[in-house]
Amino acid sequence: MTFQSSQAADSVTTPVPDTLTWTVPFGVGGGTDVWARFMSHWVGESLENRPAIVINNVPGGGSITGANLFYSRARSNGAEMIVTSASTQYPAMLKDPRVRFDYSRWTPIIAAPTGGVVYAQSSMGGDLKEVLEHLRQHESKFGAQTPTGLELPILLAFDMLGLQVDPVFGMRSRGEGRLAFERGEAGIDFQTTSAYFSSVTPLVKSGQAVPLFSLGVMNDDNVIVRDPAFPDLPTFSELYLAQPGTRRDDMAYQVYHKFFASGYALQKLLLVPKDIDASLLATYRDAAKKLAENPEFLEAARQRIGPYDPVTGDVAARQLEAAMQMSQTRRQWIVDWLKQKHGIRVVTQ
């Protein structure tokens, strides 16, 4: 028996394979692997035939190795899927010469957003206005990993707000950056939502840290709005667009929006080859939609992977297409910005 898709009810439904293989182009134990293993249980349970789901970890090249292999070898029979993250999306957007995969040939089943908060040392001021003014007049360190990774939109945000932030690259994790902040070596820091709640909230309560802004979340119309996890914090977009002479169609904002969308609004993605059978795709998407409405799953997800509802179906597909379609003009703009601002030479195809 197969789960009958509502979209395919009037046609022959291709049965779900008994075994699904998910390629995870990261090592065991990392954030994407944890997400994939958590999701595999729930996705398997949401399909009527309860397929076995095998996780195939293929690390290397910051996820590029495994994504390249999947792209060249995966069959379109619905049995093979790939789990990607911002670390996979960003090199594709920048046209890293190592990239051999094409997101336009994949389609999403389900995506997991995340959010995050930028915060600063409370010694800079007691409220947002005072701290931002301090940061515009005084240089402050920021412990960062890499300029072309998940911190790229954060670095853009600092520059677009006119903050004098000096990133110190080479941190092995955002947790290491937070420890530099706690020791007073960094004046400003950023953490994703789950890490903020667990590790930064105590710093705010003790008076060491002042939250400045959140990244926000993406609504169904691809507009960044306030993060429901931080409803009282302005988003970076609000702060930027409140500055005189700024608009949503500014080049810098358009580039920021692209990297926010692919790195945060769609941080984790489960995708299949785009040319799989239409009825099978509908079956997977229907199952994902029902999963996103399952209170038991949502409660477990909030505890394990964050307080954000998954994105499914056409909304996920539209957001992914909008995020990954980057014009050469915008790509060259961010390449030039990285070189001029941070001395980083990015090689593109």
Side-chain angles (χ1 to χ4, degrees):
M1 298 221 18
T2 60
F3 182 85
Q4 180 70 27
S5 163
S6 60
Q7 297 179 31
D10 297 329
S11 60
V12 176
T13 302
T14 301
V16 173
D18 291 333
T19 300
L20 307 180
T21 299
W22 290 12
T23 293
V24 177
F26 299 90
V28 175
T32 305
D33 177 69
V34 169
W35 184 81
R37 292 176 189 276
F38 171 80
M39 291 298 298
S40 66
H41 164 75
W42 289 96
V43 170
E45 288 293 309
S46 71
L47 294 163
E48 188 171 317
N49 69 324
R50 304 293 193 275
I53 298 181
V54 177
I55 303 296
N56 180 29
N57 294 93
V58 189
S63 79
I64 292 176
T65 300
N68 282 342
L69 286 171
F70 179 86
Y71 184 74
S72 64
R73 298 179 182 179
R75 295 168 296 171
S76 302
N77 59 4
E80 299 182 59
M81 304 181 180
I82 185 170
V83 178
T84 68
S85 80
S87 299
T88 324
Q89 277 92 262
Y90 284 6
M93 294 171 70
L94 292 170
K95 286 195 175 293
D96 187 311
R98 298 172 298 166
V99 169
R100 298 289 182 266
F101 51 89
D102 182 353
Y103 270 84
S104 70
R105 302 290 298 276
W106 297 336
T107 192
I109 301 300
I110 193 166
T114 192
V117 173
V118 170
Y119 56 98
Q121 298 284 354
S122 58
S123 59
M124 296 180 182
D127 60 27
L128 173 63
K129 184 177 180 180
E130 288 182 4
V131 175
L132 290 180
E133 187 60 29
H134 177 95
L135 287 165
R136 288 181 176 121
Q137 295 183 16
H138 302 89
E139 186 177 272
S140 184
K141 300 293 184 183
F142 170 58
Q145 293 173 269
T146 170
T148 56
L150 194 59
E151 293 144 335
L152 177 53
I154 312 306
L155 297 171
L156 276 168
F158 291 156
D159 190 38
M160 292 164 67
L161 292 176
L163 309 185
Q164 294 192 46
V165 175
D166 179 23
V168 179
F169 297 116
M171 299 289 141
R172 289 170 292 183
S173 66
R174 288 297 332 130
E176 194 168 277
R178 189 198 76 248
L179 291 175
F181 178 90
E182 291 187 34
R183 292 191 298 265
E185 298 166 2
I188 192 168
D189 193 43
F190 164 81
Q191 295 294 329
T192 56
T193 299
S194 57
Y196 182 87
F197 279 137
S198 63
S199 300
V200 181
T201 299
L203 302 179
V204 175
K205 289 182 177 178
S206 70
Q208 181 180 346
V210 176
L212 302 181
F213 57 86
S214 78
L215 298 187
V217 296
M218 192 87 78
N219 67 16
D220 289 354
D221 296 319
N222 284 4
V223 175
I224 298 173
V225 297
R226 286 209 175 188
D227 188 329
F230 308 101
D232 297 328
L233 276 184
T235 65
F236 159 72
S237 295
E238 288 177 62
L239 296 180
Y240 175 74
L241 294 171
Q243 297 178 124
T246 57
R247 302 183 304 178
R248 293 185 185 276
D249 59 359
D250 292 344
M251 177 65 77
Y253 187 79
Q254 289 291 314
V255 172
Y256 169 85
H257 194 283
K258 291 276 188 183
F259 283 99
F260 167 80
S262 65
Y264 291 87
L266 303 168
Q267 191 183 63
K268 309 295 184 191
L269 281 162
L270 175 65
L271 306 118
V272 293
K274 206 163 194 172
D275 54 352
I276 72 166
D277 180 88
S279 70
L280 190 52
L281 175 62
T283 296
Y284 289 145
R285 285 189 166 176
D286 280 355
K289 182 179 179 182
K290 290 189 175 183
L291 186 60
E293 298 168 350
N294 181 337
E296 187 178 356
F297 162 76
L298 293 174
E299 179 58 29
R302 288 187 177 100
Q303 292 180 9
R304 291 286 302 278
I305 57 178
Y308 302 100
D309 293 341
V311 184
T312 63
D314 290 338
V315 173
R318 286 198 308 271
Q319 289 188 356
L320 180 63
E321 183 178 14
M324 299 303 295
Q325 286 185 349
M326 180 169 255
S327 68
Q328 180 57 34
T329 301
R330 289 176 179 148
R331 186 178 300 108
Q332 191 60 50
W333 185 93
I334 190 63
V335 168
D336 291 343
W337 181 85
L338 284 164
K339 184 177 181 180
Q340 294 164 8
K341 188 69 180 180
H342 299 291
I344 303 298
R345 181 174 179 270
V346 176
V347 178
T348 63
Q349 294 177 12

